[in-house]
């Protein structure tokens, strides 16, 4: 009978990979903690309408990529495709957003998008996500961008490119959308891909982001947002850029950076790397004033980002496995002596003293046991052979120095 396999686009993370994720989480907690952010954990499942409303019906995420199903109570539920909507839902529901005070929250965990899996693109992937709610000031945008940079440097990842843009606001974006639609209409738009022929009317900014070569060629001369933003948006973005400059962060301006989710206003950013194949974005985010209100909360602005943990893991050095303090080898191969029991109880005593290590319940040759102790980089190998067992003793071999001594097992009581 064939065994059951995992679902396409989903991955198992064994200790070697898990260690990278645990390290990222620890670094995120340390760095974000320095900025006054607290951890929030939200459910993986939310009502579908939260994402439809929050992310936008006409986005690829909502239109094509969500894992949506009807539960036994006839509710439409969706596995979260991103964290922002859920974080805002939770903050609104628990009245965590107070007027005149910024609320800073971070979260990590799995997200789900039914995308075509490829290197760096999974159907279940993990994000580190941070949101700063309640401040409309450019300083908040810059704090979040600098915190992201701080976090990425804490992982030792180099050669990342910060791309910045402003998407305008509810006041000025309609004018830009109209200009884009007019531009595409004047072109030979039959050359656009099928999605973009629809998007040029429903969501023309998304055409700028299309990866299809024919669309890329057609958008080359499209109007840029900077020519259409209102004075308020221009002033906000100028303040962001000036602060980012003064903080010493290197970035490039990318007027084609539109992001795939509809809630963004004003500042948007992405961090890209050339070292992970075609899926270059390791992080993305921006300002989403109006979203809290749209989801039924107070009129509180917000700004945040999310990093893709699988993509960061590809760029990071893998953290070393911790070296155990001991490996307990049983080399007494006689039947029924009770050596295995003695080994288990001795290991238990060693752990009670704060030592870490593992015990082998397969009695075997000294050579193979020592080889295993070396492979797992144990600092000491405790050997329980026939002679030791009969004498109520254990041999302790220092794996680095090579010297060994015999001790009474009762010494560990
Ligand atoms: P996003 O750009 O959709 O933004 O995702 C953020 C990051 O998640 C991406 O840059 C990428 O590294 C990773 N990612 C996205 N999809 C996949 C996938 N299928 N496989 C692997 N990694 C993936 C958001 O999700 C926004 N909620 C970010 C945000 C927070 N904006 C404001 N606050």
């Amino acid at each position: 009978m064939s065994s059951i396999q995992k679902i396409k686009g989903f991955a198992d993370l064994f200790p070697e990979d898990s260690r990278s994720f645990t390290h990222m989480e620890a670094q995120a907690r340390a760095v974000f903690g320095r900025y006054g952010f607290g951890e929030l954990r939200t459910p993986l499942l939310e009502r579908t309408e939260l994402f439809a409303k929050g992310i936008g019906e006409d986005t690829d995420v909502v239109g094509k990529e969500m894992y949506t199903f009807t539960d036994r109570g006839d509710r439409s539920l969706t596995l979260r495709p991103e964290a922002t909507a859920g974080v805002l839902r939770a903050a609104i529901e628990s009245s965590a957003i107070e007027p005149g005070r910024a609320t800073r929250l971070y979260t990590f965990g799995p997200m789900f998008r039914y995308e075509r899996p490829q290197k760096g693109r999974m159907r279940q992937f993990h994000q580190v996500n941070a949101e700063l709610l309640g401040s409309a000031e450019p300083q908040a945008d810059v704090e979040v961008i600098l915190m992201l940079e701080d976090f990425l440097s804490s992982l030792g990842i180099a050669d990342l490119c910060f791309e910045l843009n402003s998407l305008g606001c509810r006041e000025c974006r309609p004018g830009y959308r109209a200009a884009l639609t007019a531009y595409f209409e004047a072109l030979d738009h039959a050359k656009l891909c099928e999605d973009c022929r629809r998007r040029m009317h429903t969501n023309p900014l998304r055409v700028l982001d299309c990866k299809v070569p024919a669309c890329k060629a057609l958008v080359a001369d499209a109007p840029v947002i900077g020519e259409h933003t209102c004075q308020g948006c221009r002033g906000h973005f100028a303040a962001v850029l000036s602060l980012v400059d003064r903080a010493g962060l290197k970035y490039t301006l990318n007027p084609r950076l539109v992001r795939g989710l509809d809630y963004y206003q004003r500042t948007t950013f992405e961090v890209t790397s050339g070292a992970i194949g075609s899926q270059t974005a390791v992080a993305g985010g921006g300002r989403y004033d109006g979203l809290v209100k749209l989801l039924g909360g107070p009129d509180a602005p917000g700004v945040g980002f999310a990093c893709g943990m699988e993509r960061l893991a590809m760029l990071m050095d893998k953290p070393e496995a911790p070296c155990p303090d001991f490996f307990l080898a049983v080399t007494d191969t006689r039947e029924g002596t009770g050596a295995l029991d003695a080994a288990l109880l001795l290991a238990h005593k060693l752990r009670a003293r704060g030592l870490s290590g593992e015990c082998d319940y397969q009695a075997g040759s000294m050579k193979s046991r020592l080889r295993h102790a070396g492979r797992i980089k144990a600092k000491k190998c405790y050997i329980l052979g026939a002679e030791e067992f009969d004498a109520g003793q254990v041999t302790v071999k220092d794996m680095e120095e090579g010297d060994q001594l015999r001790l009474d097992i009762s010494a560990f009581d």
Side-chain angles (χ1 to χ4, degrees):
M1 205 168 67
S2 63
S3 61
I4 299 168
Q5 315 242 305
K6 62 180 178 294
I7 306 168
K8 187 175 172 195
F10 287 59
D12 301 306
L13 298 177
F14 279 90
E16 205 188 325
D17 299 314
S18 266
R19 264 196 299 281
S20 299
F21 282 63
T22 312
H23 179 64
M24 272 183 255
E25 289 168 5
Q27 292 303 114
R29 284 195 177 95
V31 173
F32 298 173
R34 287 205 293 274
Y35 289 75
F37 280 66
E39 184 173 349
L40 169 71
R41 301 183 196 215
T42 62
L44 303 194
L45 267 182
E46 298 276 1
R47 290 174 199 276
T48 303
E49 63 184 284
L50 173 70
F51 303 117
K53 222 171 166 181
I55 298 172
E57 298 270 12
D58 197 48
T59 56
D60 283 353
V61 171
V62 173
K64 305 185 194 169
E65 296 169 0
M66 294 207 303
Y67 280 88
T68 297
F69 65 96
T70 308
D71 79 353
R72 290 169 198 274
D74 222 19
R75 300 170 200 93
S76 178
L77 303 180
T78 294
L79 278 170
R80 62 181 185 192
E82 58 109 53
T84 309
V87 168
L88 267 51
R89 195 255 327 122
I92 295 165
E93 193 171 341
S94 58
S95 306
I97 309 169
E98 293 169 28
R101 195 180 67 84
T103 304
R104 293 173 165 88
L105 297 166
Y106 68 87
T107 190
F108 355 82
M111 311 291 153
F112 305 85
R113 295 184 193 176
Y114 194 86
E115 293 189 82
R116 200 160 42 79
Q118 61 180 76
K119 189 175 171 218
R121 191 162 70 194
M122 302 292 294
R123 289 184 173 167
Q124 175 179 307
F125 60 99
H126 296 76
Q127 284 186 342
V128 172
N129 182 93
E131 313 292 353
L132 192 162
L133 305 172
S135 174
E137 300 307 320
Q139 288 79 3
D141 308 28
V142 178
E143 177 180 301
V144 157
I145 292 171
L146 294 178
M147 183 169 90
L148 172 58
E149 198 239 356
D150 214 346
F151 168 58
L152 295 171
S153 348
S154 79
L155 300 177
I157 301 175
D159 296 329
L160 293 174
C161 176
F162 276 73
E163 297 181 16
L164 266 59
N165 192 21
S166 171
L167 285 181
C169 64
R170 241 168 238 104
E171 301 301 315
C172 53
R173 199 151 61 204
Y176 179 53
R177 285 173 60 122
L180 273 181
T181 304
Y183 168 82
F184 293 126
E185 271 170 350
L187 282 179
D188 186 3
H189 51 256
K191 286 192 185 140
L192 289 171
C193 74
E194 197 186 325
D195 276 342
C196 286
R197 285 203 296 277
R198 179 178 45 80
R199 287 179 187 138
M200 63 180 265
H201 299 290
T202 55
N203 199 348
L205 270 79
R206 298 284 297 130
V207 181
L208 300 180
D209 197 30
C210 184
K211 304 286 180 284
V212 176
C215 301
K216 270 185 159 173
L218 286 180
V219 302
D221 297 319
V224 288
I225 180 91
E227 295 157 3
H228 293 263
T229 43
C230 62
Q231 217 180 349
C233 287
R234 273 205 295 275
H236 185 97
F237 196 43
V240 167
L241 296 182
S242 148
L243 280 167
V244 167
D245 277 333
R246 284 161 66 193
L249 179 79
K250 301 259 176 302
Y251 62 89
T252 53
L253 288 177
N254 179 359
R256 302 262 183 266
L257 177 66
V258 294
R259 313 273 302 122
L261 314 162
D262 270 0
Y263 47 62
Y264 292 107
Q265 305 264 318
R266 296 197 160 172
T267 316
T268 49
F269 50 89
E270 263 181 17
V271 184
T272 55
S273 162
I276 48 169
S278 62
Q279 298 303 307
T280 57
V282 298
R287 176 163 283 290
Y288 45 80
D289 301 349
L291 181 59
V292 176
K293 191 160 180 224
L294 180 77
L295 296 177
D299 193 4
V303 56
F305 65 78
C307 305
M309 295 174 81
E310 281 76 4
R311 295 185 192 175
L312 293 180
M314 285 192 248
L315 295 167
M316 273 167 52
D317 289 335
K318 277 201 190 316
E320 291 269 328
C323 300
D325 294 309
F326 68 86
F327 174 65
L328 209 164
V330 180
T331 56
D332 179 0
T333 49
R334 295 171 300 173
E335 289 260 324
T337 57
L340 295 180
D341 293 351
L344 165 81
L345 296 171
L346 175 56
H348 185 57
K349 286 178 196 160
L350 294 174
R351 292 190 194 108
R353 294 176 165 224
L355 300 179
S356 63
E358 59 182 81
C359 190
D360 197 352
Y361 302 118
Q362 263 74 53
S365 77
M366 175 82 90
K367 202 170 153 205
S368 75
R369 303 298 83 197
L370 282 176
R371 204 182 311 125
H372 182 70
R375 202 177 305 130
I376 65 168
K377 298 198 175 89
K379 291 176 196 150
K380 290 195 169 126
C381 186
Y382 286 59
I383 301 154
L384 202 57
E387 231 183 279
E388 285 91 344
F389 180 72
D390 290 342
Q393 291 186 318
V394 63
T395 297
V396 182
K397 184 178 171 73
D398 188 309
M399 296 297 287
E400 219 165 86
E401 306 294 332
D403 51 276
Q404 58 184 57
L405 75 165
R406 264 215 205 171
L407 295 173
D408 289 337
I409 291 179
S410 59
F412 298 97
D413 285 344

